[in-house]
Amino acid sequence: MSEAFSPKHIVVTGGAGFIGSNFVHWVAGNVPQVHITVLDALTYAGNLENLEGVPGDRMDFVHGDICDAPLVDELFAKADACVHFAAESHNDNSITNPAPFVRTNVEGTFTLLEAARAHGTRFHHISTDEVYGDLALDDPARFTEETPYHPSSPYSSTKASSDLLVRAWHRTYGVAATISNCSNNYGPRQHIEKFIPRQITNILCGIRPKLYGDGKNVRDWIHTEDHSSAVWEVLTRGRIGETYLIGADGERSNIDVLRAILSEMGKEADDFDWVRDRPGHDRRYAIDSTKLRRELGWQPIHTDFAQGLRQTIEWYRSNQQWWQGAKEATEAKYAKQGQ
């Protein structure tokens, strides 16, 4: 294991988004000596309200684009590490219009890596298990760090591209980089276009939830707070040049998750509508996080999915002003797609 790295100033790209903002809150609450600079373009998925409650003396916010090389260079010159969350990440959007995914996920990561190379900045890249493609429903295997890449959507292929850039910049230029590939996150502050918050907010709005295909697609769920703690472990104690898979043994089918939400919110198990499946919909993701747990001793805290789901539902119920403005536009977009 590498000697522990103790950053004093980190740049968090995409820090006003769902997973990034939860990471900022986690660092602010658990690592008091670290100053955070959030760089976020504030696209539809970024929201400054996500950062409310982070002490002002602990964080600076910069409204900017990760493809803006002079800006990125200026920020990296002052920081000793970058945690790179910024990404276009919604599969449906990538199918409709892949161009922003190529720009942000590929060109943006390249821009950051060049700044890390110029300034010797430690670089941790947040990726996804979707780069590995999918597994059969009856396959006992799970993804490991050795699983070959086999992305199937414009989103996952651009994330695979960014992973490969990080590896190349480490090997060719010596950039001190690590990568983590994580399973599906859930928790507070997730945009309502995503599966769990869409179902919750539909029920709160009196709209029948909708389920793609046969509902048997399996996702491996992890609470975003557990993801945050794992990322910190990899950034500070992971081996340079290595990839770590982050998962919490949370495999569940989409229909089981939806029915759990329905039950928790006082609805019948069949109180939803079936809609046509999306193109190339991956069947199953499953993470084997043995390497992370063995090398770094990390363990998830949120191991009771029902409790985590209950807390997530309560957050959306108690923070309706946070999501109501985006709800109508989100559902109109899905209706146009027949979903």
Side-chain angles (χ1 to χ4, degrees):
M1 187 188 304
S2 303
E3 183 178 344
F5 169 60
S6 299
K8 299 292 185 240
H9 186 170
I10 63 173
V11 173
V12 178
T13 70
F18 163 49
I19 304 177
S21 67
N22 278 286
F23 177 74
V24 171
H25 280 275
W26 188 92
V27 172
N30 291 277
V31 196
Q33 73 273 19
V34 173
H35 189 80
I36 306 159
T37 295
V38 171
L39 172 61
D40 199 295
L42 294 181
T43 62
Y44 77 96
N47 188 339
L48 274 177
E49 291 180 31
N50 290 346
L51 296 169
E52 288 181 0
V54 178
D57 61 345
R58 298 286 311 284
M59 183 193 76
D60 300 317
F61 177 78
V62 177
H63 183 197
D65 189 332
I66 60 171
C67 294
D68 182 344
L71 174 61
V72 168
D73 190 77
E74 178 185 340
L75 297 180
F76 275 46
K78 303 171 185 174
D80 44 11
C82 171
V83 183
H84 175 32
F85 289 92
E88 291 284 349
S89 67
H90 193 46
N91 265 309
D92 291 337
N93 293 347
S94 80
I95 293 167
T96 303
N97 180 17
F101 290 75
V102 174
R103 183 177 186 276
T104 299
N105 299 352
V106 182
E107 182 186 342
T109 301
F110 160 75
T111 303
L112 297 170
L113 286 168
E114 283 291 85
R117 175 160 76 108
H119 296 286
T121 310
R122 183 79 157 254
F123 191 83
H124 181 68
H125 178 62
I126 306 295
S127 190
T128 171
D129 56 1
E130 295 189 40
V131 298
Y132 300 114
D134 62 349
L135 299 162
L137 294 179
D138 59 355
D139 186 347
R142 295 190 290 173
F143 298 135
T144 74
E145 289 80 4
E146 307 306 318
T147 302
Y149 276 26
H150 194 231
S152 53
S153 71
Y155 161 59
S156 56
S157 63
T158 57
K159 289 299 290 184
S161 301
S162 64
D163 290 7
L164 296 178
L165 288 176
V166 175
R167 290 178 181 172
W169 260 243
H170 166 66
R171 178 162 178 171
T172 304
Y173 302 117
V175 170
T178 45
I179 298 172
S180 58
N181 298 76
C182 192
S183 56
N184 286 55
N185 280 231
Y186 77 99
R189 307 183 190 93
Q190 187 171 26
H191 193 280
I192 53 169
E193 69 184 3
K194 297 301 179 82
F195 182 74
I196 287 179
R198 188 184 182 205
Q199 313 300 0
I200 295 170
T201 55
N202 273 350
I203 295 169
L204 290 172
C205 290
I207 303 169
R208 280 170 66 89
K210 297 172 176 59
L211 188 62
Y212 287 164
D214 60 9
K216 294 180 181 178
N217 305 69
V218 170
R219 298 297 178 257
D220 193 347
W221 294 98
I222 184 172
H223 194 282
T224 185
E225 188 173 351
D226 285 331
H227 186 189
S228 295
S229 67
V231 166
W232 187 258
E233 289 300 310
V234 176
L235 172 69
T236 57
R237 300 198 298 119
R239 288 184 288 139
I240 297 299
E242 291 292 313
T243 294
Y244 294 86
L245 267 57
I246 300 174
D249 302 321
E251 281 188 70
R252 281 170 178 78
S253 69
N254 287 348
I255 193 167
D256 285 347
V257 172
L258 176 54
R259 284 180 168 154
I261 293 169
L262 288 164
S263 174
E264 185 63 38
M265 299 184 75
K267 298 290 184 179
E268 296 297 321
D270 60 353
D271 194 7
F272 65 91
D273 295 326
W274 300 96
V275 295
R276 65 177 175 84
D277 211 354
R278 72 177 180 220
H281 196 182
D282 288 343
R283 290 303 273 171
R284 171 174 165 258
Y285 306 143
I287 286 277
D288 182 343
S289 58
T290 299
K291 178 179 175 180
L292 172 68
R293 300 185 191 211
R294 183 184 65 242
E295 288 192 13
L296 305 182
W298 175 84
Q299 293 290 335
I301 294 172
H302 297 273
T303 54
D304 183 338
F305 182 74
Q307 181 182 31
L309 196 58
R310 191 174 308 121
Q311 292 169 344
T312 302
I313 291 168
E314 184 53 39
W315 189 90
Y316 283 92
R317 183 179 279 125
S318 301
N319 292 274
Q320 296 194 30
Q321 80 291 342
W322 181 89
W323 55 264
Q324 278 177 330
K327 184 62 179 175
E328 186 177 346
T330 299
E331 291 307 314
K333 181 187 69 176
Y334 274 119
K336 191 175 181 180
Q337 297 169 0
Q339 297 166 332

